[in-house]
Amino acid sequence: MELSEFTRVADRPTRKGKFLRALTVVLLLVQCLLLPSADAVTLGDSLGFPQGRVARRLLQQTLSQCLSSSGARLVFPGDSSYASARGHVFNHRFLYNPAVFVFATTTAHVQRAVQCAVQLNVGIAPRSGGHSYEDYSLGGRDGVIVVDLEGLNSVSYDSNTKLASVGGGTRLGPLKLALWKAGKVTIPSGTCPSVGVGGHVLGGGWGFVSRKWGLMADSIVSIELVTATATIVTVSSSQNSDLFFALRGAGANSFGIVTKFTFKTYDVSKTVTSFEYHYTKAQQAQTLRAYERWGASASVDVSASLYHDPSGGNFFWGLYLGSKSNLRTVLKTFFDNAPSTTTSTTELETDYITTVLVNAGFKQTDPIDTLNLQNYNYESRTFKSKSIFSKAQWSDQNIQAYIDALGRGPTSNTYMIFDLFGGSGSFINTIPAASTGFVHRDSLFSIQMFTYWDGRPQDATTDINWITGIWNTVRPFSSAEAYQNYIDSDMPLSAYYASNLDSLKTVKRKWDPKNIFNFPKSIPLN
């Protein structure tokens, strides 16, 4: 019967009506225990409990009882620190409402959170840095347990083995600083200092030394993982090798929660050179052609990107693992095809850690300890992003189609970044596609498309329509693949995992047969 009919019957002052009402309440309470929290709230709302408050209160009490024995700090809805705990994420487009935040500082905290998620049938999501492009760091829906891993942030380096042990909640800035101080070594990874290692590396992890030494995922030696049974397993090429395959590129909350990584490191003690060349809006097509032609045969000692935006932003920048005196030689093909003059030029020969500082958005003169992010103002946006891989150079006609679509975009808060993945000898593309969860091993470059409307909610529809339109423009002459670290709710899983998807499902069925670890774009069972 419909709810209105049920209410009228239940409100009659009869013994039968009172029984039905009492039974309904009991059933609600039982359902609150058995259903994921978002479902429990919906049930409470449908039966007339204001905003599901009874369901929420019961769930909170139950979670508190289950989790409190771990000793981890817990933050629930209604707590004074809840908004700051939830809001410490990059994309504020959705800002889902977790049932509880568990601030883990030990692996045991993570284990207990998984146990409670299983016992209470509540969703669970790890958060390393909170930079998920679709807010999947908050579970991708309301009512989940969010395990915040920032307390697991230790970094140690063994100068004999050249291996680094890194906590699953470490951020990239502090990681690179610690490795520099320990031995002037690094791990290939992105430039944003506040990005968490966990999500970044488990989705691949491209950066400005990746063509020389690969993605961050390619440097993983072993992983400590809390599984769906709350047990701790070691994952490496010799132990649980199926998980080792899956976690390197498809591991973000599909198979378990990573609490520690062991990485190979690379010597960056020698002088390096960062560069940046700016051009005009009218020269965007020419810089893209020059970038493609250079990139196809670029030295692996250079990793670089090209930036465009609708208002005219147009610059080529990157890092050369060598001295400034040889920079123009390794970039010769670019300059042979690029405009003859720039609007500004930067060529900085310095030590590696200074380039990390500059690429992170800090000043060259800032102390390197700035990378520790003390009193750091964490950036947030309200945005939509898409991505696509291109496996070959575009024709002049295709470049013009892209330029025309770019010019129709918003004149602010929108950009395109072409990251060079391939080119002759790039380490990224020397690894067989089937050997890791990261399948994109034959691309020339990845394009990140980004638009944000902070404080302008009225522009959201226009901006999203534009970014969808430019993606549709380049799709016919690009590929069907996209970069999972720029996760997009509109894309099918096949775009992220392609020919590896069936193998990943097999690993999922073995290690998480009840689908404990799931979000809208997680690896499914079937």
Side-chain angles (χ1 to χ4, degrees):
M1 64 175 68
E2 294 182 3
L3 178 61
S4 59
E5 295 174 319
F6 169 79
T7 302
R8 286 196 297 271
V9 170
D11 283 344
R12 291 175 187 170
T14 64
R15 184 174 301 175
K16 179 179 179 181
K18 292 178 180 178
F19 171 76
L20 286 174
R21 183 68 170 179
L23 178 61
T24 301
V25 173
V26 172
L27 288 174
L28 170 62
L29 298 180
V30 172
Q31 289 290 335
C32 289
L33 289 171
L34 295 178
L35 290 172
S37 59
D39 294 335
V41 170
T42 301
L43 180 64
D45 290 340
S46 70
L47 290 175
F49 293 91
Q51 303 301 314
R53 276 178 284 182
V54 171
R56 290 190 183 97
R57 190 177 302 116
L58 178 66
L59 178 67
Q60 181 169 323
Q61 292 171 351
T62 307
L63 282 169
S64 180
Q65 291 169 359
C66 189
L67 291 165
S68 60
S69 62
S70 72
R73 183 168 76 92
L74 310 176
V75 177
F76 290 96
D79 291 349
S80 60
S81 57
Y82 182 82
S84 60
R86 184 195 61 176
H88 194 51
V89 293
F90 184 40
N91 193 356
H92 280 212
R93 184 178 173 198
F94 298 109
L95 279 183
Y96 297 108
N97 296 293
V100 61
F101 289 94
V102 178
F103 288 88
T105 57
T106 68
T107 302
H109 290 162
V110 178
Q111 289 178 282
R112 187 57 185 160
V114 172
Q115 289 171 344
C116 292
V118 173
Q119 291 174 17
L120 302 177
N121 196 21
V122 177
I124 186 167
R127 182 172 67 177
S128 179
H131 278 73
S132 170
Y133 276 21
E134 292 282 359
D135 281 341
Y136 295 154
S137 302
L138 295 176
R141 66 230 190 252
D142 290 338
V144 305
I145 299 171
V146 170
V147 183
D148 187 287
L149 301 172
E150 193 166 5
L152 298 174
N153 59 9
S154 64
V155 177
S156 62
Y157 172 67
D158 187 324
S159 59
N160 294 318
T161 64
K162 309 298 183 185
L163 298 180
S165 177
V166 180
T170 309
R171 295 179 185 266
L172 294 183
L175 169 63
K176 291 182 180 181
L177 178 62
L179 293 178
W180 173 261
K181 288 184 172 182
K184 293 188 177 181
V185 296
T186 197
I187 304 166
S189 54
T191 59
C192 180
S194 60
V195 165
V197 167
H200 184 64
V201 65
L202 294 173
W206 182 91
F208 273 161
V209 292
S210 285
R211 296 186 66 252
K212 177 77 169 183
W213 293 310
L215 303 171
M216 195 176 197
D218 298 332
S219 293
I220 296 174
V221 173
S222 66
I223 292 171
E224 179 183 271
L225 180 77
V226 177
T227 70
T229 59
T231 56
I232 302 172
V233 298
T234 298
V235 179
S236 68
S237 60
S238 59
Q239 299 181 76
N240 304 307
S241 58
D242 55 345
L243 277 174
F244 193 58
F245 152 75
L247 292 175
R248 290 175 298 152
N253 198 32
S254 284
F255 305 96
I257 298 179
V258 176
T259 51
K260 185 170 67 177
F261 298 92
T262 301
F263 292 103
K264 292 182 290 186
T265 64
Y266 303 89
D267 181 12
V268 284
S269 60
K270 296 180 180 179
T271 297
V272 300
T273 305
S274 65
F275 57 87
E276 189 169 310
Y277 306 101
H278 285 250
Y279 299 89
T280 68
K281 180 176 183 178
Q283 297 167 331
Q284 286 176 330
Q286 189 175 356
T287 57
L288 177 54
R289 169 58 71 214
Y291 178 70
E292 287 186 319
R293 289 178 176 171
W294 165 78
S297 57
S299 164
V300 296
D301 288 326
V302 185
S303 290
S305 299
L306 178 71
Y307 173 98
H308 283 165
D309 68 45
S311 63
N314 179 16
F315 59 89
F316 167 52
W317 89 109
L319 180 68
Y320 169 49
L321 297 171
S323 63
K324 181 179 175 179
S325 61
N326 200 40
L327 178 63
R328 291 278 173 154
T329 299
V330 298
L331 299 181
K332 182 178 184 301
T333 303
F334 176 81
F335 289 119
D336 285 347
N337 293 278
S340 57
T341 60
T342 64
T343 58
S344 68
T345 294
T346 300
E347 295 175 347
L348 175 64
E349 182 176 296
T350 185
D351 53 30
Y352 172 78
I353 199 64
T354 299
T355 70
V356 172
L357 191 72
V358 172
N359 284 323
F362 301 112
K363 297 177 183 178
Q364 180 186 347
T365 54
D366 286 334
I368 61 173
D369 282 347
T370 304
L371 291 168
N372 265 331
L373 307 182
Q374 297 297 317
N375 302 315
Y376 180 72
N377 184 22
Y378 287 93
E379 184 181 23
S380 64
R381 289 281 183 262
T382 304
F383 68 87
K384 176 68 176 180
S385 182
K386 302 184 78 68
S387 71
I388 199 165
F389 279 99
S390 183
K391 302 189 178 188
Q393 297 181 50
W394 294 351
S395 68
D396 290 341
Q397 181 181 2
N398 292 340
I399 289 178
Q400 191 57 51
Y402 153 74
I403 293 295
D404 291 344
L406 177 68
R408 292 190 291 269
T411 55
S412 63
N413 303 334
T414 296
Y415 58 80
M416 312 280 286
I417 298 179
F418 296 72
D419 292 327
L420 187 64
F421 271 65
S424 58
S426 172
F427 187 91
I428 298 170
N429 289 357
T430 64
I431 296 176
S435 66
T436 71
F438 191 90
V439 72
H440 318 292
R441 300 291 184 173
D442 59 353
S443 295
L444 180 58
F445 53 79
S446 164
I447 313 174
Q448 178 184 187
M449 308 168 180
F450 199 99
T451 183
Y452 59 99
W453 51 90
D454 300 348
R456 299 178 292 108
Q458 70 277 8
D459 294 341
T461 299
T462 299
D463 287 8
I464 292 173
N465 286 343
W466 171 79
I467 202 171
T468 301
I470 197 168
W471 187 91
N472 287 330
T473 296
V474 304
R475 170 63 185 88
F477 44 87
S478 296
S479 75
E481 297 178 18
Y483 185 22
Q484 46 267 48
N485 274 355
Y486 303 145
I487 198 78
D488 175 6
S489 60
D490 301 327
M491 296 297 290
L493 284 177
S494 58
Y496 298 123
Y497 307 112
S499 57
N500 282 345
L501 186 55
D502 285 342
S503 296
L504 292 168
K505 290 178 181 179
T506 299
V507 180
K508 175 72 171 181
R509 287 192 294 269
K510 175 182 174 181
W511 288 96
D512 187 15
K514 295 182 179 179
N515 202 23
I516 301 302
F517 300 105
N518 71 87
F519 60 96
K521 290 296 173 184
S522 59
I523 304 299
L525 294 172
N526 296 297

